[in-house]
């Protein structure tokens, strides 16, 4: 495993990449409404990214055909944008996005609640988001990677939710996916020791039912095996000598 420690200049570029991606998410949220196709949202979002002088890093990544992963309800991640996928009232819409700014990547995901959603769906989205912030508490130099993983998994377990085990978070920098992998559930080993200058994409993927997932025939879309709802929340973060910095979110917790 080779974990890249970023220089001050690299951190500045990653910080800008993160802030630009946050702007895209914030602006795109207005379009997540009933009647919109996921294809339309993808095209609008891609235009936003390019208007900022950046490139969508998901587009053609390992053959992925869209600029955004847009997943509905029981779709966990990697939903392919489609004109046939229409957003409806009550949907949980997961939008995973990334961009490249001057050679540096950012990556973040949000779960949007469309109109009036079922109380249990709203609770799942809220808990999944909080799982990220529970993990963030341990994202400090000197701690171990498994400290983040344990905190995320423990918070989801309080609600009886299934924590997806087939997909994990990751390091990020000049490549979208770098070492280390970051599970959302506890490991037998403590994992690497966190060091200032590491940039990580931490992304809880939490199912209302069991943790098991399957890949659809398109080879990309991941769904819950039991058909239960799933939520996803992700930010790119920076490990510092003090509190961690979220590069893709500057709002209040």
């Amino acid at each position: 495993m080779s974990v890249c420690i970023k220089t001050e200049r690299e951190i500045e570029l990653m910080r800008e990449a993160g802030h630009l991606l946050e702007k895209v998410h914030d602006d795109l949220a207005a379009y997540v409404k009933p009647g919109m196709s996921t294809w339309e949202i993808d095209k609008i979002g891609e235009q936003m990214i390019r208007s900022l002088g950046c490139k969508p890093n998901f587009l053609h990544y390992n053959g992925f055909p869209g600029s955004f992963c847009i997943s509905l309800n029981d779709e966990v991640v990697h939903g392919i944008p489609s004109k046939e996928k229409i957003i409806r009232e009550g949907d949980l819409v997961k939008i995973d996005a990334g961009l490249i700014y001057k050679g540096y990547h950012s990556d973040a995901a949000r779960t949007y609640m469309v109109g009036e959603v079922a109380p249990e769906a709203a609770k799942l989205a809220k808990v999944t988001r909080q799982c990220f912030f529970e993990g963030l508490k341990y994202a400090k130099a000197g701690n171990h990677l498994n400290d983040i993983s344990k905190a995320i998994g423990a918070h989801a377990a309080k609600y009886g939710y299934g924590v997806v085990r087939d997909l994990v978070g990751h390091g990020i920098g000049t490549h979208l996916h770098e070492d280390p992998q970051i599970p959302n559930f506890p490991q037998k080993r403590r994992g690497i020791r966190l060091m200032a200058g590491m940039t990580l994409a931490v992304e809880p993927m939490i199912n209302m039912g069991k943790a098991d997932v399957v890949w659809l025939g398109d080879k990309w879309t991941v769904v819950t095996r039991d058909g239960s709802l799933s939520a996803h929340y992700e930010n790119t973060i920076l490990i510092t000598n003090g509190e961690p910095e979220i590069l893709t979110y500057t709002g209040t917790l």
Side-chain angles (χ1 to χ4, degrees):
M1 182 185 297
S2 177
V3 179
C4 178
I5 303 298
K6 308 303 188 295
T7 66
E8 284 301 318
R9 174 58 179 161
E10 288 179 307
I11 289 170
E12 282 302 316
L13 291 169
M14 295 269 319
R15 187 176 285 126
E16 184 62 19
H19 291 171
L20 291 171
L21 182 56
E22 179 183 17
K23 175 175 172 53
V24 170
H25 266 298
D26 289 348
D27 292 348
L28 197 57
Y31 296 93
V32 184
K33 57 187 179 182
M36 291 289 287
S37 72
T38 59
W39 181 88
E40 289 175 291
I41 291 175
D42 179 72
K43 294 306 176 187
I44 292 167
E46 180 182 351
Q47 185 177 21
M48 289 178 179
I49 288 174
R50 295 192 186 280
S51 73
L52 296 171
C54 302
K55 296 179 181 179
N57 53 11
F58 291 1
L59 185 61
H60 306 314
Y61 183 80
N62 290 337
F64 187 75
S67 297
F68 291 70
C69 297
I70 307 177
S71 310
L72 308 181
N73 301 319
D74 67 328
E75 296 173 348
V76 181
V77 288
H78 303 164
I80 297 174
S82 169
K83 292 180 180 179
E84 279 69 54
K85 276 191 185 177
I86 307 300
I87 294 171
R88 293 180 170 82
E89 180 85 8
D91 281 349
L92 284 187
V93 180
K94 283 81 68 173
I95 297 184
D96 193 357
L99 58 77
I100 307 170
Y101 171 77
K102 295 185 178 180
Y104 287 81
H105 292 254
S106 56
D107 190 4
R110 305 286 185 260
T111 294
Y112 295 97
M113 295 176 280
V114 181
E116 291 293 325
V117 303
E120 59 269 25
K123 180 180 177 181
L124 174 67
K126 180 180 179 181
V127 170
T128 300
R129 182 181 185 276
Q130 188 58 36
C131 281
F132 166 84
F133 287 103
E134 292 301 317
L136 187 71
K137 294 176 183 178
Y138 295 89
K140 298 179 180 180
N143 284 348
H144 288 262
L145 190 66
N146 194 39
D147 295 327
I148 298 175
S149 301
K150 284 196 302 183
I152 291 171
H155 190 68
K158 290 180 183 179
Y159 300 88
Y161 293 150
V163 180
V164 175
R165 304 177 80 87
D166 297 68
L167 299 145
V168 297
H170 51 91
I172 186 170
T174 54
H175 296 84
L176 176 57
H177 292 106
E178 299 181 353
D179 286 334
Q181 292 192 343
I182 308 167
N184 297 306
F185 49 91
Q187 305 293 291
K188 291 181 179 179
R189 298 180 181 276
R190 299 177 73 187
I192 62 169
R193 188 180 295 275
L194 301 175
M195 298 174 61
M198 289 180 176
T199 46
L200 310 173
V202 178
E203 50 177 323
M205 291 160 274
I206 310 297
N207 299 341
M208 187 177 292
K210 294 183 178 180
D212 305 298
V213 299
V214 294
W215 272 254
L216 296 184
D218 62 21
K219 308 296 186 184
W220 280 105
T221 308
V222 181
V223 301
T224 58
R225 182 180 291 275
D226 60 11
S228 64
L229 291 174
S230 186
H232 183 202
Y233 187 83
E234 174 188 21
N235 282 302
T236 300
I237 69 170
L238 168 69
I239 305 298
T240 76
N241 285 315
E243 293 297 317
E245 180 182 347
I246 308 178
L247 302 182
T248 50
Y249 180 70
T250 54
T252 55
L253 302 188

